């Protein structure tokens, strides 16, 4: 899709399922069951939606998804279905892994950085050999010292491999990755989670990461149980969604199982989702 001087595409990397109670935090099932249907194990359908942005100054991939490195037992636990070949992530748009110059990670949970590395000749190597990968320094530090509750969401090999290859840039605060592509430290989901914005020729867009994983999470109090700072997430959502609605920003949801991009409208105290057509996705 044309976006000013940029070309933007969604790559649906995988579908998976997580416990519905964990996905909706303190919201009772009697409410969330109206917007997300649960399977027999109480899991709701999710996906990993990567955003690929081609700019005149280089190509940026936002997030890497779950990746291919999962055992059969783990795949069954998450009902994980991998939809792409990680040796050729951009196949659906006719480009290759070497065409990526920057990879932006909202944070280092395994469903965001799991696709950062692949097994090549029995060795773990960065999936995008010519890219620099960007995360926040505070996120990286926390990933190494996460306590028992937070630890389960991190796999050290994902980011250690990037560090060993000198390909991980640990940012300290907000930063412009390439002209028009910026990261903003949000906190909320993790203390150094970052939201990504993209802007070209008067067009503005926002990739919320895990601050708003699906369109069902649009109401500010509907915050995931996984969040380390849920009250912060609620406030960030109110603030950023008001701006996105007022300025008609393009909005992207990282785990939305339906169409993950579109616009948000503010109607009285509610935010209403206006998705693009389904055929706007590179992989459907
Ligand atoms: Zn996630």
């Amino acid at each position: 899709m044309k976006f000013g001087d940029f070309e933007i595409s969604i790559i649906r990397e995988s579908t998976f399922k997580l416990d519905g109670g964990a996905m909706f935090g303190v919201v009772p099932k009697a409410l969330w069951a109206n917007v997300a249907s649960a399977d027999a194990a109480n899991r709701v359908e999710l996906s990993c939606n990567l955003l690929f942005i081609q700019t005149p100054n280089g190509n940026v991939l936002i997030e890497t998804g779950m990746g291919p490195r999962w055992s059969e037992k783990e795949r069954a636990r998450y009902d994980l279905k991998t939809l792409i070949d990680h040796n050729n992530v951009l196949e659906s748009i006719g480009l290759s892994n070497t065409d990526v110059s920057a990879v932006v990670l909202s944070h280092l949970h395994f469903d965001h950085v799991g696709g950062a590395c692949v097994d090549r000749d029995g060795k773990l190597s960065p999936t995008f050999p010519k890219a620099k990968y960007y995360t926040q320094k505070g996120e990286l530090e926390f990933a190494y010292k996460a306590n028992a509750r937070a630890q389960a969401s991190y796999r050290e090999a994902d980011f250690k491999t990037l560090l060993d290859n000198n390909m991980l840039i640990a940012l300290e605060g907000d930063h412009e990755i390439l002209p028009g592509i910026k990261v903003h430290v949000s906190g909320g989901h993790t203390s150094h989670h970052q939201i990504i914005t993209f802007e070209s020729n008067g067009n503005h867009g926002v990739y919320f990461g895990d601050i708003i994983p699906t369109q069902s999470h649009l109401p500010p109090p509907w915050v995931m149980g996984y969040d380390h700072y849920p009250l912060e997430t609620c406030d960030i959502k109110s603030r950023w969604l008001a701006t996105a609605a007022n300025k008609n920003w393009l909005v992207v949801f990282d785990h939305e199982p339906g169409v993950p991009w579109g616009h948000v409208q503010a109607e009285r105290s509610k935010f209403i989702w206006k998705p693009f057509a389904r055929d706007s996705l590179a992989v459907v």
Side-chain angles (χ1 to χ4, degrees), residues 64-136:
T64 67
M66 294 282 275
R69 298 162 19 252
W70 295 93
S71 67
E72 283 314 309
K73 195 175 159 197
E74 289 165 328
R75 283 183 177 273
R77 184 187 308 149
Y78 300 118
D79 195 16
L80 171 62
K81 296 187 176 73
T82 305
L83 303 179
I84 60 168
D85 171 4
H86 287 84
N87 290 306
N88 210 349
V89 172
L90 304 174
E91 189 175 16
S92 58
I93 49 175
L95 294 174
S96 72
N97 288 5
T98 52
D99 292 316
V100 178
S101 35
V103 177
V104 183
L105 303 160
S106 63
H107 62 301
L108 297 176
H109 284 169
F110 60 66
D111 53 324
H112 298 258
V113 72
C117 301
V118 283
D119 276 314
R120 271 193 204 116
D121 309 321
K123 191 171 153 256
L124 208 51
S125 313
T127 308
F128 306 98
K130 293 190 175 167
K132 290 287 180 206
Y133 291 67
Y134 295 85
T135 189
Q136 288 291 324

Side-chain angles (χ1 to χ4, degrees), residues 23-28 31 211 216-225 227 230-231 233-238 241 269-271:
M23 278 308 289
F24 290 99
V26 297
V27 178
L31 292 181
I211 297 299
S216 308
H217 293 84
L218 274 174
W222 287 43
V223 172
M224 288 192 283
D227 283 21
L231 304 186
T233 303
C234 179
D235 291 344
I236 300 157
K237 282 163 76 170
S238 302
L241 280 173
S269 57
K270 273 188 165 175
F271 295 106

Side-chain angles (χ1 to χ4, degrees), residues 106-213:
S106 63
H107 62 301
L108 297 176
H109 284 169
F110 60 66
D111 53 324
H112 298 258
V113 72
C117 301
V118 283
D119 276 314
R120 271 193 204 116
D121 309 321
K123 191 171 153 256
L124 208 51
S125 313
T127 308
F128 306 98
K130 293 190 175 167
K132 290 287 180 206
Y133 291 67
Y134 295 85
T135 189
Q136 288 291 324
K137 185 169 178 235
E139 174 69 16
L140 182 62
E141 286 172 355
F142 182 76
Y144 277 105
K145 63 169 194 225
N147 70 3
R149 179 182 183 266
Q151 230 168 41
S153 302
Y154 293 101
R155 295 189 308 181
E156 187 183 342
D158 291 329
F159 36 92
K160 188 175 180 301
T161 304
L162 299 176
L163 280 173
D164 290 348
N165 285 274
N166 281 322
M167 288 168 77
L168 187 61
I169 312 276
L171 301 168
E172 295 184 68
D174 298 356
H175 186 76
E176 186 161 36
I177 305 287
L178 283 177
I181 317 276
K182 291 180 187 157
V183 296
H184 312 258
V185 180
S186 64
H189 184 61
T190 61
S191 63
H192 291 77
H193 177 282
Q194 52 189 3
I195 285 173
I196 298 98
T197 57
F198 42 102
E199 178 187 346
S200 177
N201 255 339
N203 298 276
H204 291 256
V206 58
Y207 188 100
F208 277 109
D210 272 355
I211 297 299
I212 311 179

